[in-house]
Amino acid sequence: MAQRETWATRTGFILAAVGSAVGLGNIWRFPFVTGEGGGAAFLLVYLLFVALIGFPAILAEFVVGRRTDRNPVGALKAYGGGAWKYVGGIFIATGFIILSYYSVIGGWFIRYAIEGFRGDYASHIAAYEGDPEIMFGALSTGLDAFILHTVFMAITVGIVALGIRQGIELAVKVMVPAIILLLVGLAIWAFTLPESGGGYEYYLSPDFSVIAANWAELLPAAAGQAFFTLSLGMGVMITYASYLGEDRNLTRDGITIIGFDTGIAFLTGLVVFPIMWAGALTEPGSGGPGEIFVAMTQAFADVSGGQFLGLIFFATVAIAAISSAISLLEVVTSYAIDEIGIERWKAAIGMGGVIYLLGVPVTYDLIFLDLLDYFADAILLVFGALMLTILVGWIAPQAAVDELEKGIGNLGTLGQVWIWALRIPIVIVLIISLYLGVVEYVDFLTGDFAGWLDENL
Ligand code: PFF
């Protein structure tokens, strides 16, 4: 069998993991969830969750990946024994499903960036009865969406097909610094816009009363966001760590990755809210799929320099989405390479092709986005994360501590603190989130989705 690939440099691994973590979750979702959750007060809760839950959980994926040097199915089988391979299978399925619609959303961002090339956003909106919502409706489904879903997936497949060093590592070395630079530039520009001040106030002044009133929804939302944004629960970090050598200090890498992800999410808030306020939009809505497109396009139509600002903004998000999408496809591809034994480029094209087909219905009707997203994100992902936590925390903790100590040295009681964090608090949070996710999904199936079927069949 061919030698298993590895990262060329430590930076390559870190950038790839940051590239995976920074994506639509940070840019499309985070600012709105934060806005709704009382601004800075939510931010504090979220930071707490990232540190107390995200950090132990990302280390758990790292140790399993590096110890076994396998894709998630092979890794869980090697780490936990035979039946655990089915949990690995759930990871693969989750990646499969999430990537299918992630690609469609990524395509929307490419589409909106193209609009910026072709003229200013005000005249684009004017072409859709002057309503950015109608514009989003027209662009988010149908032929446009289909073509850009195709483009997005083709780019993703192309990068993964080229391999770890020549494909993913090279791509993220360009993409991640570009994302950071562009966002910093946008944030500075946003700062100079008139009337942007209200945006900072909304984002940064803590309103604890919102949390006190809605904690039952907001706490699971903060936990879910912490997992999603760190790409946990579907084996991305297992897979990426499987290409590592033994000498890395995984805690240090984990802290670096989490630091970048959180910093970039925070930075995005400094772009989105001031621009919205400058465009006289002062009510961020529910963060649904169209929210950021509708709100930001209107803002870009209204502020001076909006055409260029918008072009850069949408393109930046598209880049961030691609660097996340490649990690999802890598999970599935590494599975096909290791377990089915096919060559990398065939695996990437074959798996990418099937995932692409699964995403096509989303370009027909957005009800399929909800159908896939609620299921993968709120149920499968949480279930996968829960099982991995149980495996590392309860079933085989010693191997995990041994593995973590490689490259660090004796951890003493810190190792035990880590294991106990996994065993009790994280398991509890995940069980509650899973329960809420199932309730929400049943609600959706019997409500919105049943209604849609009635109307359309
Ligand atoms: N972390 C990515 C984001 O915040 O957009 C999304 C993501 C990528 C989730 C990869 C899960 C994953 F495996």
Side-chain angles (χ1 to χ4, degrees):
M1 204 171 130
Q3 179 85 33
R4 190 175 171 81
E5 293 173 271
T6 54
W7 303 106
T9 60
R10 172 171 185 258
T11 321
F13 163 66
I14 290 180
L15 288 178
V18 170
S20 171
V22 174
L24 299 174
N26 302 59
I27 303 185
W28 173 60
R29 213 165 143 216
F30 175 81
F32 291 95
V33 191
T34 305
E36 275 165 50
F42 181 86
L43 198 65
L44 292 177
V45 176
Y46 167 79
L47 288 178
L48 216 67
F49 273 61
V50 164
L52 298 181
I53 295 180
F55 181 53
I58 206 172
L59 291 183
E61 291 208 11
F62 283 166
V63 292
V64 170
R66 191 177 67 179
R67 190 169 187 85
T68 58
D69 286 345
R70 309 263 168 86
N71 72 94
V73 171
L76 289 207
K77 193 163 105 190
Y79 192 86
W84 282 92
K85 71 171 183 240
Y86 296 109
V87 175
I90 292 178
F91 284 134
I92 308 295
T94 315
F96 222 87
I97 298 176
I98 292 192
L99 182 55
S100 72
Y101 63 83
Y102 207 85
S103 165
V104 177
I105 304 175
W108 297 343
F109 280 98
I110 300 180
R111 184 73 178 79
Y112 272 72
I114 293 175
E115 292 294 272
F117 266 115
R118 294 178 33 203
D120 66 89
Y121 289 91
S123 52
H124 293 310
I125 294 177
Y128 294 96
E129 301 170 40
D131 185 346
E133 211 156 331
I134 295 181
M135 176 174 167
F136 177 73
L139 298 184
S140 60
T141 50
L143 190 60
D144 276 85
F146 174 75
I147 292 174
L148 287 151
H149 168 48
T150 314
V151 170
F152 187 95
M153 206 59 200
I155 299 172
T156 307
V157 167
I159 296 172
V160 172
L162 287 172
I164 293 298
R165 292 189 182 192
Q166 253 99 50
I168 297 180
E169 192 162 347
L170 214 61
V172 296
K173 272 188 181 150
V174 179
M175 286 176 159
V176 173
I179 296 166
I180 296 174
L181 278 179
L182 292 170
L183 281 175
V184 169
L186 283 168
I188 294 173
W189 192 341
F191 182 72
T192 65
L193 295 173
E195 310 297 332
S196 59
Y200 297 108
E201 205 178 309
Y202 180 82
Y203 182 41
L204 298 175
S205 52
D207 184 352
F208 287 100
S209 67
V210 177
I211 292 199
N214 302 311
W215 63 271
E217 286 132 49
L218 289 177
L219 294 189
Q225 175 71 359
F227 270 87
F228 187 79
T229 188
L230 294 176
S231 301
L232 296 174
M234 66 191 59
V236 166
M237 296 304 172
I238 295 179
T239 310
Y240 274 6
S242 77
Y243 299 119
L244 275 176
E246 297 298 344
D247 56 339
R248 305 298 219 282
N249 179 334
L250 289 176
T251 6
R252 207 173 55 197
D253 289 359
I255 291 172
T256 312
I257 293 161
I258 291 178
F260 270 105
D261 183 62
T262 310
I264 292 173
F266 179 71
L267 186 60
T268 312
L270 295 179
V271 174
V272 171
F273 290 112
I275 293 180
M276 286 178 64
W277 257 254
L281 289 162
T282 52
E283 269 187 58
S286 66
E291 185 70 38
I292 198 154
F293 296 95
V294 174
M296 294 303 276
T297 311
Q298 182 66 57
F300 292 131
D302 293 345
V303 303
S304 67
Q307 181 179 348
F308 188 63
L309 208 54
L311 164 60
I312 299 289
F313 174 77
F314 290 121
T316 307
V317 186
I319 297 172
I322 290 173
S323 68
S324 297
I326 55 181
S327 71
L328 290 171
L329 186 59
E330 179 57 30
V331 169
V332 181
T333 301
S334 72
Y335 164 73
I337 297 172
D338 292 353
E339 307 293 319
I340 312 177
I342 44 184
E343 281 169 76
R344 168 171 286 276
W345 68 273
K346 287 185 194 155
I349 294 177
M351 289 298 189
V354 180
I355 292 170
Y356 165 73
L357 292 179
L358 185 64
V360 169
V362 177
T363 67
Y364 171 70
D365 193 309
L366 294 189
I367 190 85
F368 292 107
L369 175 61
D370 288 343
L371 186 70
L372 295 172
D373 181 37
Y374 286 152
F375 181 58
D377 182 28
I379 298 178
L380 281 184
L381 185 151
V382 182
F383 181 73
L386 175 64
M387 295 313 279
L388 189 83
T389 309
I390 292 174
L391 175 61
V392 172
W394 290 101
I395 314 277
Q398 197 50 48
V401 174
D402 289 348
E403 185 62 34
L404 191 62
E405 286 179 340
K406 287 182 192 154
I408 305 180
N410 194 345
L411 284 168
T413 48
L414 278 182
Q416 289 313 306
V417 172
W418 173 51
I419 294 299
W420 280 99
L422 292 170
R423 281 187 177 173
I424 313 258
I426 299 182
V427 163
I428 292 177
V429 168
L430 286 169
I431 289 175
I432 296 174
S433 302
L434 184 60
Y435 168 76
L436 293 170
V438 171
V439 170
E440 197 185 349
Y441 199 58
V442 170
D443 234 36
F444 166 76
L445 287 180
T446 53
D448 287 0
F449 191 62
W452 185 89
L453 287 177
D454 266 355
E455 262 173 46
N456 289 276
L457 292 185

